[in-house]
Amino acid sequence: MPYAARIQPGTRVRLKDHDPAESGGLDKEAGQKRFAELNAELDALQEELHAAGTHSVLMVLQGMDTSGKDGAIRSVMHNLNPQGVRVESFKVPTDEELAHDFLWRVHKVTPGKGIFGVFNRSHYEDVLVVRVHGLVPEPVWQARYEHINHFEAMLADSGTIIVKFFLHISKKEQAERLHEREEEVGKAWKLSAGDWREREKWDAYQEAYEDALSRCSTEAAPWYVVPADRKWFRNLAITEALVETLRGYRDDWRAALEDLSQAKLAELAAYRKLLEEKAE
Ligand code: AMP
Ligand code: MG
């Protein structure tokens, strides 16, 4: 069984069926060992992705406040070559962004070929926070699920490998993490009264997430539910799903690199031949 649950297209997601404290039958030590192995493989895959330059990767991270989006980026990406990684964080839209369609700011920062892109929050906020707070009329956000599916299908058609993770934490774990931020001086900078306010809308958010995951998990851009109460398991589950996905492209990338190598060698051989002819 994979550690993160991949949502089959067309199935109705019920978050209550997914245990946020799941640990795959592993203890922390075994989990961290497996994480290290898979992370080394992820590093090698990223190098091939970057060198081959035929695809891009787009990893989307969503989750409630304190679910560990930042921590996952720090841990899962720590081995990768920073030259090939781009992280984009989506905040409250600016006036200029609001004056455009909701995908405008998103499309501008999608990863180019060879790049491993990470979205810390994403266009899904436009069917999450926007829906929960009624920031636009319901028909407007309702239409967005289909817009998102079309947009992601278009990205996939142009060579983007899309993997979307919902970091699933329990309400109890969130309270503990929020209190921890208050109690530890070194963590207080992360505090936000807004996090407590958003927590009051917990059920509305879970419902909005269930809809987004149910309606926007497609073959080309699947959603994964990641048990995220245990940080080490969250990192392992994300890394495993990424490696599983990217392994499927390794042969293509190696073939592209082989072609590239042959072309470079042929170019050099032709140049040498020309030098020899000149010398004669
Ligand atoms: P943080 O991730 O803690 O830096 O917070 C970013 C904030 O921006 C969160 O409260 C998000 O809900 C908010 N946000 C991101 N995208 C949107 C959006 N499209 N509309 C409204 N709020 C957003
Ligand atoms: Mg926050």
Side-chain angles (χ1 to χ4, degrees):
M1 271 284 281
Y3 298 133
R6 183 184 167 126
I7 304 304
Q8 291 312 314
T11 53
R12 185 75 219 153
V13 177
R14 279 197 325 207
L15 288 174
K16 286 205 164 61
D17 296 343
H18 297 266
D19 178 7
E22 174 66 47
S23 62
L26 299 171
D27 61 20
K28 185 172 177 178
E29 198 184 331
Q32 286 178 329
K33 188 162 167 280
R34 186 74 192 118
F35 170 73
E37 289 164 4
L38 285 168
N39 212 252
E41 190 174 345
L42 184 63
D43 176 33
L45 284 162
Q46 184 223 358
E47 199 176 321
E48 288 170 326
L49 162 83
H50 197 228
T54 53
H55 293 82
S56 15
V57 171
L58 175 57
M59 161 165 122
V60 171
L61 287 172
Q62 285 286 164
M64 301 293 286
D65 292 316
T66 76
S67 61
K69 299 182 288 295
D70 299 292
I73 293 170
R74 200 174 56 220
S75 302
V76 174
M77 316 303 288
H78 83 280
N79 255 330
L80 305 191
N81 179 353
Q83 290 209 77
V85 177
R86 305 271 185 284
V87 182
E88 299 291 342
S89 296
F90 292 90
K91 307 284 183 189
V92 177
T94 62
D95 287 344
E96 192 190 17
E97 287 166 351
L98 283 174
H100 291 80
D101 68 88
F102 79 106
L103 292 171
W104 181 74
R105 68 171 181 165
V106 179
H107 201 176
K108 279 200 292 196
V109 294
T110 50
K113 297 248 189 304
I115 300 298
F116 194 122
V118 181
F119 280 3
N120 182 357
R121 303 186 189 268
S122 65
H123 43 300
Y124 282 93
E125 291 295 328
D126 292 282
V127 290
L128 294 164
V129 64
V130 169
R131 164 176 165 165
V132 169
H133 287 274
L135 301 181
V136 300
E138 174 161 354
V140 174
W141 59 256
Q142 280 287 3
R144 287 180 174 169
Y145 299 97
E146 213 180 319
H147 292 316
I148 289 175
N149 286 339
H150 286 299
F151 172 61
E152 292 179 353
M154 189 271 292
L155 295 179
D157 281 346
S158 42
T160 308
I161 303 161
I162 306 172
V163 196
K164 301 179 294 197
F165 296 108
F166 169 62
L167 307 189
H168 184 35
I169 54 163
S170 62
K171 198 171 179 190
K172 184 167 163 282
E173 178 67 20
Q174 190 195 47
E176 280 169 23
R177 291 184 186 181
L178 287 174
H179 280 303
E180 217 174 279
R181 288 181 181 181
E182 235 171 289
E183 283 150 20
E184 288 181 35
V185 179
K187 287 188 175 175
W189 62 272
K190 285 189 185 175
L191 274 175
S192 149
D195 290 349
W196 284 101
R197 267 198 307 277
E198 290 307 290
R199 181 177 163 80
E200 290 170 23
K201 302 196 184 299
W202 182 273
D203 292 341
Y205 269 109
Q206 298 289 302
E207 216 175 288
Y209 268 112
E210 285 180 343
D211 269 355
L213 270 57
S214 302
R215 295 168 76 170
C216 299
S217 196
T218 58
E219 281 304 333
W223 269 110
Y224 290 81
V225 177
V226 176
D229 273 5
R230 299 171 208 253
K231 295 172 184 172
W232 62 266
F233 189 73
R234 169 200 75 203
N235 296 336
L236 171 61
I238 293 174
T239 306
E240 185 198 48
L242 286 171
V243 167
E244 279 288 325
T245 302
L246 300 188
R247 267 182 197 150
Y249 294 87
R250 186 150 50 196
D251 289 347
D252 288 353
W253 294 339
R254 288 189 179 164
L257 286 175
E258 179 63 31
D259 288 351
L260 212 57
S261 303
Q262 293 301 338
K264 293 276 164 74
L265 287 170
E267 198 186 335
L268 192 62
Y271 169 70
R272 293 246 161 85
K273 191 151 168 267
L274 201 71
L275 283 187
E276 276 169 29
E277 282 167 8
K278 271 195 194 152
E280 275 165 14

